[in-house]
Amino acid sequence: MTGVRRRAGAAQPPLLPCCRAKRPVSRSPRAQKEGTHPGAMVHAFLIHTLRAPQAEDMGLCRVLYSCVFGAENLPDDSRPHGAERDRLLRKEQILAVARQVESMCQLQQQASGRPPTDLQPQSSDEPVPLHEAPQGAFRLAAGDPFQEPRTVVWLGVLSLGFALVLDAHENLLLAEGTLRLLARLLLDHLRLLAPGANLLLRADRIEAILVRFLPHGQLLFLNDQFVQGLEKEFSAAWPR
Amino acid sequence: MGPRCLCGQRLGGETPTAGRRGVARSCQLLQGQERKATEARQPVGIGEIQDEELKKFCFRVSKLLQKEDLGPDAADTLRRLFLIVSATKYNRKLEKTCVDLLQTTLCLPTCPEQLQLLCAAILREMSPCDSLSLCCDHIQNTRQLSLVASVLLAQGDKKQEVRNVGLRVFKVLESRQPEGPSLRPLLPVLSKVTSLAPGTLHQDQTNVLNKRLVDWLRYASVQQGLVHSSGGFFSTPRARQPGPVTEVDGAMATDFFTVLSTGQHFTEDQWLNVQAFSMLRAWLLHSSPEGTGPADTDDRSELEGSTLSVLSAATSTSRLLPPQERLRDKAFEYCQRLIEQSNRRALRKGDADLQKACLVEAVLVLDVLCRQDPSFLYRTLSCLKGLHARLCGDPTSVRALLPLAQFFLNHGEAVAVDSEAVCQHLFTRTPSELFHSPTLAFEFIQFCRDNLPQFGRNLSVLKLSFPNLFKFLAWNSPPLTSEFVAFLPSLVDASTAVEMLHALLDLPCLTAALDLQLRSSPAASERPLWDTSLRTPSCLEAFRDPQFQGLFQYLLRAKASGTTERLAPLHQLLQPMASCARVVQCAEAVPTLLRVFFSAVSQFTDKALTNQLALLLLERSDSLYQVPGYEASVHRVLSSEFLALCARHPSLVVELAKELLEFLGGTGGLRSGARMLSSVVWAVGEYLSVCWDRRCTVEQINKLFEALEALLFELAQSRPSATLPKCPPQVVTTLMTTLTKLASRSQDLIPRVSLFLSKMRTLALSPAASSVHCEEGVGAVRRRATELLHLLKMPSVAQFVFTPSVDVSEPRYHRDTNTALPLALCMVSRLVEKEAGLLPG
């Protein structure tokens, strides 16, 4: 069976029935927009693996790094192990996003007829043309998997997926720009695609980049000079 | 990247997502905590070993963190600890001393950034954590405070952490000395706090911050910052001033500093300007709790009415305004300046991108301002009208058209400006030209979906534009299908239903046509992502062929035309593209959308529309684009929807008897597949009766009977052939039942059908039959023929069973012991079985 048949979400196991149960009562679009949380921030950032469509039997989609900014207000849970359950829920939410991004990215790659070899890491040290990288956005309805409705912006660079989970009415254009910037910085400063690059053990560097370019999930309007300034300052504090 | 090499040999444990046991496990875990204890640590053996190793590792971490000198060893160990904690979705029980030390290290004034980041990241990864004792009350260093806040905000606000963080951050902000620590790390915290818990700050505190924001937004230095040595991240040494800031096109700044002002280096207040603008929209929304218009009027009446605020705002005496209004006023000026600045030709690509994002944000902020204080409307309007005119000629700034349209939708009525022109432009041009941009497509559909209540008079513009909106869907079906599932019901109405149903069925064909349109457009230099491996010269030629221009134009139309064209010739032409991935993806979305369409249409269909739709189903069932698997899945929907239409308006079978006769008599029925055929046949048997429609005549029954008889005869005789698909036994049995039903209503036909049924029974026993159907199928045909024959022996029973009166469905029939339906059915089946038992074979 070709990978084409797979629809996003279709091949995934039903996600956390308990999250669905917490879905708030239906609200009008207007109410959603002006509810108590109109929100204009990033809820989470993640980096995960992207597998070639044929290689789906090669392990699972893995979240390599994730950072959740703040926490969703969950309904009070008096049962024991509440904290453990909350943490598990957060981890599952992030994994669900990663899986959906992977699926979207694969479908887009197939639709645009890119050979799956494009997903293989390249050994060369050349910069990756990010403007040609597959990218997209999709909506996550309230309750699935997050309590609030969210938008996911994603970018696929070879075998890595980068994604921002946004509050529903964030400035999408700014988010796309920020995601491309983050991906570029991470690729450059962590040499993510070079052989032997070990993303998993360099969380401090990723954190240092996020603290500067996406503090607390705040998207920043940084012009080119601001970016350069921050990058210089980062390079000085974190020599390669 | 195996876990072993990552965690070092000491920790051979779980892999990054630790997800082998998968979601199912975690669901169980979430549902019942009793299971947790037993399952989460399975297999027990490994769990214990890991716990042991983890203990050792924690001990090592603790030892390192207690040292005076936190060297590279500490960083390395903390990195590993982060991986251990973050790589599993289940809790890692760290030693208490270790957790305590992580918190102490994080708060150490002398701790290097790297270790602080790692400690904060580990603590955040563990959160929510019950044993946390972290407190932000005494932290002076703003960078440290920000990191501690990130940990506290991740706790889920069980102990009012959000409020505490908010108040502490505010206190530091308020008490700041001019030469004190930088405030840059604090503003994002405040922004996060207000978005997590909007009521955290009191009115007074909000006002203080409003004042501060005004200063940062409007009065940041217009001189460039200094070249500072590579000192600390937030250090602000002072030296000579290196000149004024410039605009993005290199010209000298003409007015106050904004995020679109550039220079070599920036001052602290310029950084704060960037942060202030970045958080502005959310702050405006959160800081005025009652939010929109009417609630505000009370506020303003205290300030001598809205007329004054209009006047004062107009005459720059705004320093007299209360802080919140003053902030709005400055925000307005800022946005105006951004709109002006975004018209400049940026020298750098990054700045050009930022200009577009700023335009979007400026319009969004203006929208918030006007919603909160309508006195901004007139000033904003003149500014945005100009902007709209400018953007219409600039395809690269198309993204800003969406918030602009939103603004006009929200406020058009209040200022008596017709938003129609804006909507027209947006819906006519944008989708046709930019359907291939995935994020624009998403944002566009989201805009339509979210603003449905605001469209008002323009709703018809939206509804008529469905062929254009479908282009987004046809090209980007994976992310947009769910959007359309939610959105489609609002898009369809009685006047467009027929055309939309055709369009939905032709959606994969539209995908192929869009592909050709992109390939043959002269501006193909933009290189949207298309399948370059696909070579379809014949399709491209056909696309340019004047003979098919009309059809392609119809398929690619921007608006509903009110007419329907038969696209069958295009299905043929585009056949070489039917297997390309994008077309297949789109085809997979269609069945879902069809179901949504029919459930939406059922809300308003009248008889005429139902008949039209039923005819359309008959017609289209054998005229579909041949995408692999498409026809079968569409037939599944169409056949069940046909029955649903009949159930809703049973008289349609009588009204459309002539058309049904044509469908069943011609080859259409056979070609349109077994599912559709058996649905139609079943509907004829069920609803062609005087009890559903008094107009039903014996002649109609006889004619349909003859057509079905001929059809069944043909099917029974036919050998498997390449031209016609194999006919499943279900169709045969349905045909037999329907013939019997019709005979029970026009009893002259009973001898004929009895003869036929006995023939079928013998035929089913013949060896030739088993070559057509499988064993099971043959059995079913024989059994059904026998049953029907018996029933026909008692015509009145047959009529009761086959044509129950309408009130059979009433509860009485299921309760009344004398007329109880189950009783009657039970008797009939006993009769049938008994007779069957008496007869040989």
Side-chain angles (χ1 to χ4, degrees):
Chain A
M1 166 152 159
T2 63
V4 176
R5 295 281 166 81
R6 230 165 57 91
R7 287 212 70 78
Q12 294 157 8
L15 186 91
L16 292 179
C18 60
C19 314
R20 286 179 199 279
K22 285 176 201 153
R23 187 189 297 263
V25 274
S26 71
R27 296 186 291 177
S28 71
R30 185 86 183 175
Q32 251 175 38
K33 209 165 64 192
E34 292 176 358
T36 46
H37 295 267
M41 292 195 92
V42 177
H43 177 68
F45 168 73
L46 57 149
I47 309 174
H48 58 89
T49 57
L50 285 179
R51 292 159 303 156
Q54 296 89 333
E56 269 159 25
D57 44 348
M58 284 168 48
L60 299 149
C61 173
R62 291 176 171 193
V63 176
L64 300 175
Y65 171 86
S66 71
C67 179
V68 178
F69 304 101
E72 286 197 313
N73 285 322
L74 295 172
D76 268 338
D77 190 347
S78 53
R79 290 179 295 173
H81 305 292
E84 267 178 63
R85 223 179 355 257
D86 282 356
R87 182 173 182 278
L88 177 57
L89 177 63
R90 285 184 207 174
K91 284 282 181 187
E92 287 292 357
Q93 286 171 334
I94 294 297
L95 188 57
V97 173
R99 277 195 300 249
Q100 280 205 49
V101 169
E102 186 187 44
S103 173
M104 289 290 174
C105 186
Q106 285 173 353
L107 287 163
Q108 199 185 87
Q109 289 280 77
Q110 282 165 355
S112 54
R114 299 286 190 82
T117 48
D118 268 16
L119 286 177
Q120 297 312 310
Q122 290 172 336
S123 51
S124 78
D125 220 7
E126 286 168 31
V128 190
L130 280 184
H131 60 275
E132 280 184 22
Q135 53 153 322
F138 58 90
R139 164 128 86 181
L140 296 172
D144 184 18
F146 298 100
Q147 283 219 303
E148 301 282 323
R150 309 262 186 211
T151 303
V152 176
V153 191
W154 59 268
L155 181 75
V157 186
L158 305 176
S159 55
L160 291 178
F162 298 87
L164 290 175
V165 181
L166 309 171
D167 290 334
H169 289 87
E170 183 51 285
N171 184 334
L172 206 57
L173 205 51
L174 180 64
E176 281 170 62
T178 307
L179 183 59
R180 265 198 306 274
L181 172 66
L182 288 175
R184 207 260 300 152
L185 290 166
L186 289 166
L187 292 173
D188 283 2
H189 291 273
L190 277 85
R191 293 175 181 274
L192 286 188
L193 299 166
N198 199 342
L199 187 150
L200 293 172
L201 280 177
R202 300 170 84 186
D204 47 348
R205 240 163 227 274
I206 307 177
E207 294 276 335
I209 288 176
L210 289 182
V211 156
R212 287 166 174 82
F213 291 90
L214 190 65
H216 290 268
Q218 173 76 62
L219 292 175
L220 294 174
F221 288 84
L222 297 174
N223 69 38
D224 219 52
Q225 290 294 334
F226 274 102
V227 172
Q228 281 189 24
L230 273 182
E231 207 179 340
K232 258 185 220 158
E233 186 272 319
F234 170 75
S235 299
W238 294 76
R240 281 187 207 183
Chain B
M1 300 217 280
R4 241 158 240 289
C5 65
L6 299 168
C7 309
Q9 67 289 4
R10 302 167 44 83
L11 296 148
E14 288 198 68
T15 52
T17 45
R20 291 212 189 281
R21 276 160 256 140
V23 179
R25 257 284 305 285
S26 68
C27 293
Q28 290 172 349
L29 190 69
L30 282 164
Q31 278 158 359
Q33 78 277 7
E34 299 90 274
R35 288 171 180 240
K36 206 210 104 287
T38 52
E39 284 189 39
R41 303 215 164 77
Q42 270 175 4
V44 177
I46 296 173
E48 277 170 359
I49 294 163
Q50 284 182 338
D51 282 350
E52 197 50 45
E53 275 193 289
L54 192 60
K55 227 178 208 169
K56 275 191 208 158
F57 195 74
C58 283
F59 182 68
R60 197 175 135 197
V61 172
S62 308
K63 234 170 67 185
L64 281 168
L65 290 182
Q66 279 164 322
K67 277 191 192 167
E68 277 289 293
D69 166 35
L70 296 165
D73 265 7
D76 192 54
T77 324
L78 285 179
R79 281 201 207 111
R80 283 175 199 279
L81 186 60
F82 174 81
L83 180 59
I84 295 163
V85 173
S86 70
T88 171
K89 52 188 177 186
Y90 304 111
N91 262 25
R92 285 288 192 199
K93 196 102 189 107
L94 298 191
E95 294 290 297
K96 188 169 182 311
T97 33
C98 182
V99 180
D100 289 345
L101 273 167
L102 286 171
Q103 297 177 58
T104 341
T105 314
L106 173 58
C107 298
L108 272 184
T110 53
C111 179
E113 184 193 4
Q114 186 184 27
L115 295 186
Q116 279 179 339
L117 284 174
L118 280 166
C119 289
I122 294 166
L123 291 169
R124 218 172 42 225
E125 271 296 327
M126 289 168 56
S127 59
C129 174
D130 294 329
S131 56
L132 209 68
S133 58
L134 205 59
C135 170
C136 56
D137 285 348
H138 305 290
I139 303 175
Q140 286 297 331
N141 182 328
T142 52
R143 199 165 52 82
Q144 227 157 11
L145 179 54
S146 164
L147 281 177
V148 170
S150 80
V151 177
L152 289 172
L153 292 181
Q155 299 307 315
D157 209 15
K158 294 275 188 289
K159 300 176 204 151
Q160 289 219 308
E161 288 94 345
V162 177
R163 199 185 128 78
N164 294 341
V165 167
L167 294 179
R168 174 67 196 160
V169 167
F170 178 79
K171 205 166 173 193
V172 175
L173 244 162
E174 193 186 31
S175 67
R176 189 187 93 110
Q177 307 301 312
E179 296 297 320
S182 163
L183 295 182
R184 268 164 70 196
L186 294 189
L187 282 189
V189 184
L190 216 51
S191 188
K192 193 80 207 176
V193 165
T194 38
S195 92
L196 288 174
T200 305
L201 297 184
H202 299 298
Q203 193 57 46
D204 301 348
Q205 294 169 322
T206 307
N207 279 339
V208 170
L209 207 65
N210 281 336
K211 282 183 198 155
R212 279 295 180 84
L213 284 169
V214 165
D215 290 342
W216 293 324
L217 279 175
R218 188 62 179 73
Y219 304 105
S221 162
V222 285
Q223 293 295 312
Q224 291 194 27
L226 318 148
V227 188
H228 60 82
S229 57
S230 56
F233 178 24
F234 299 112
S235 61
T236 51
R238 281 179 183 277
R240 65 192 169 82
Q241 293 287 348
V245 292
T246 58
E247 303 284 350
V248 285
D249 57 359
M252 196 119 86
T254 52
D255 205 339
F256 60 92
F257 185 90
T258 72
V259 292
L260 286 177
S261 305
T262 81
Q264 292 296 312
H265 298 278
F266 298 101
T267 60
E268 176 72 11
D269 59 354
Q270 286 165 350
W271 276 105
L272 288 166
N273 180 287
V274 169
Q275 287 194 327
F277 179 66
S278 300
M279 67 181 280
L280 179 63
R281 181 160 55 100
W283 175 257
L284 284 172
L285 279 167
H286 290 301
S287 63
S288 68
E290 275 81 25
T292 53
D296 260 10
T297 42
D298 293 346
D299 278 1
R300 252 186 287 109
S301 61
E302 288 167 21
L303 304 161
E304 299 157 61
S306 58
T307 350
L308 178 68
S309 74
V310 175
L311 286 176
S312 61
T315 58
S316 77
T317 52
S318 60
R319 274 200 177 270
L320 303 173
L321 289 171
Q324 177 154 31
E325 308 230 342
R326 187 142 179 274
L327 175 62
R328 287 184 190 150
D329 207 52
K330 295 305 166 197
F332 178 81
E333 287 174 20
Y334 199 99
C335 292
Q336 258 189 327
R337 171 138 165 80
L338 282 183
I339 290 173
E340 180 264 313
Q341 283 179 303
S342 63
N343 202 16
R344 291 174 179 271
R345 198 186 183 81
L347 297 177
R348 295 185 178 85
K349 166 109 186 21
D351 291 345
D353 291 344
L354 187 69
Q355 279 180 309
K356 283 163 203 148
C358 283
L359 260 188
V360 169
E361 190 71 10
V363 177
L364 289 174
V365 169
L366 289 173
D367 183 48
V368 172
L369 292 177
C370 290
R371 272 192 278 153
Q372 295 186 338
D373 182 354
S375 69
F376 281 107
L377 266 175
Y378 292 94
R379 287 182 279 166
T380 308
L381 202 66
S382 60
C383 163
L384 291 190
K385 269 184 180 168
L387 178 63
H388 183 248
R390 195 178 103 198
L391 292 187
C392 282
D394 177 12
T396 60
S397 299
V398 70
R399 295 285 287 273
L401 280 177
L402 289 174
L404 206 53
Q406 171 129 39
F407 180 90
F408 283 108
L409 285 176
N410 287 346
H411 306 288
E413 218 168 297
V415 286
V417 168
D418 195 4
S419 44
E420 198 179 323
V422 184
C423 289
Q424 281 285 7
H425 176 89
L426 195 63
F427 289 121
T428 329
R429 298 248 331 254
T430 313
S432 326
E433 290 163 10
L434 295 162
F435 61 86
H436 51 79
S437 156
T439 31
L440 173 74
F442 172 77
E443 207 169 28
F444 200 104
I445 298 304
Q446 179 157 279
F447 162 78
C448 295
R449 191 184 146 178
D450 289 346
N451 285 292
L452 278 170
Q454 274 79 40
F455 271 104
R457 287 195 311 128
N458 287 307
L459 197 58
S460 61
V461 180
L462 175 73
K463 285 181 171 178
L464 285 177
S465 303
F466 80 81
N468 243 357
L469 297 178
F470 278 10
K471 289 179 186 170
F472 285 129
L473 176 61
W475 195 259
N476 307 286
S477 58
L480 291 189
T481 305
S482 60
E483 298 294 301
F484 267 89
V485 165
F487 173 48
L488 199 64
S490 330
L491 206 55
V492 58
D493 64 20
S495 63
T496 51
V498 170
E499 195 181 342
M500 189 181 287
L501 181 52
H502 275 293
L504 280 174
L505 291 167
D506 286 324
L507 209 59
C509 202
L510 176 62
T511 311
L514 288 171
D515 189 291
L516 292 175
Q517 188 193 349
L518 269 185
R519 279 164 207 263
S520 54
S521 76
S525 57
E526 260 188 51
R527 300 227 323 137
L529 298 170
W530 73 50
D531 192 343
T532 42
S533 63
L534 195 69
R535 302 248 178 267
T536 49
S538 65
C539 295
L540 265 174
E541 252 167 58
F543 188 70
R544 297 189 190 112
D545 189 341
Q547 195 191 338
F548 301 111
Q549 280 288 303
L551 283 183
F552 274 114
Q553 269 168 19
Y554 175 78
L555 184 57
L556 294 168
R557 68 199 181 278
K559 278 185 169 302
S561 63
T563 57
T564 47
E565 292 269 354
R566 304 289 176 267
L567 295 175
L570 291 191
H571 299 163
Q572 290 285 325
L573 280 178
L574 298 173
Q575 197 51 48
M577 301 180 72
S579 55
C580 79
R582 198 181 292 279
V583 174
V584 174
Q585 285 175 10
C586 175
E588 283 170 353
V590 172
T592 315
L593 294 163
L594 284 174
R595 291 210 185 273
V596 174
F597 170 86
F598 278 105
S599 90
V601 161
S602 70
Q603 306 297 314
F604 57 75
T605 38
D606 56 0
K607 226 164 157 184
L609 184 59
T610 309
N611 287 3
Q612 255 182 312
L613 291 174
L615 279 180
L616 196 159
L617 293 187
L618 295 182
E619 181 205 320
R620 287 305 306 265
S621 58
D622 76 325
S623 168
L624 292 169
Y625 188 33
Q626 296 296 312
V627 180
Y630 182 53
E631 206 174 44
S633 56
V634 168
H635 279 162
R636 211 166 294 141
V637 181
L638 294 192
S639 55
S640 69
E641 292 301 339
F642 180 81
L643 290 180
L645 289 176
C646 292
R648 210 169 305 123
H649 292 280
S651 59
L652 86 80
V653 176
V654 172
E655 282 164 13
L656 299 179
K658 196 166 142 269
E659 287 81 3
L660 291 174
L661 190 66
E662 278 168 22
F663 177 80
L664 295 167
T667 53
L670 284 177
R671 274 209 316 264
S672 64
R675 276 178 187 278
M676 196 65 200
L677 185 62
S678 43
S679 288
V680 174
V681 170
W682 188 86
V684 167
E686 193 66 15
Y687 299 111
L688 192 70
S689 148
V690 272
C691 33
W692 294 108
D693 193 324
R694 301 225 149 269
R695 292 168 295 173
C696 175
T697 63
V698 179
E699 201 197 343
Q700 274 176 337
I701 294 181
N702 288 347
K703 274 193 173 164
L704 270 160
F705 181 88
E706 273 165 25
L708 292 174
E709 195 184 34
L711 188 63
L712 180 55
F713 189 72
E714 202 178 325
L715 288 178
Q717 295 295 316
S718 72
R719 311 255 157 219
S721 76
T723 48
L724 283 176
K726 209 169 124 181
C727 184
Q730 286 89 330
V731 181
V732 176
T733 52
T734 316
L735 270 166
M736 293 193 306
T737 312
T738 297
L739 284 170
T740 315
K741 283 178 179 174
L742 293 181
S744 76
R745 284 164 216 163
S746 173
Q747 301 196 346
D748 294 349
L749 299 171
I750 290 181
R752 245 168 101 177
V753 80
S754 298
L755 188 67
F756 202 97
L757 287 173
S758 11
K759 255 197 216 167
M760 283 306 295
R761 200 167 56 174
T762 18
L763 207 65
L765 289 174
S766 77
S770 45
S771 68
V772 183
H773 305 302
C774 62
E775 190 68 32
E776 224 174 302
V778 173
V781 170
R782 203 185 62 223
R783 220 168 23 251
R784 180 67 63 90
T786 314
E787 285 168 6
L788 294 171
L789 271 171
H790 295 316
L791 277 174
L792 280 175
K793 283 184 185 157
M794 291 161 280
S796 51
V797 176
Q799 192 168 12
F800 173 73
V801 175
F802 289 128
T803 320
S805 54
V806 183
D807 41 58
V808 158
S809 56
E810 280 177 19
R812 187 170 67 87
Y813 266 85
H814 300 266
R815 287 198 212 111
D816 190 328
T817 39
N818 295 321
T819 57
L821 191 64
L823 190 71
L825 287 177
C826 189
M827 175 125 95
V828 169
S829 70
R830 235 184 349 213
L831 270 173
V832 169
E833 277 162 22
K834 195 171 135 204
E835 289 281 335
L838 290 174
L839 288 167

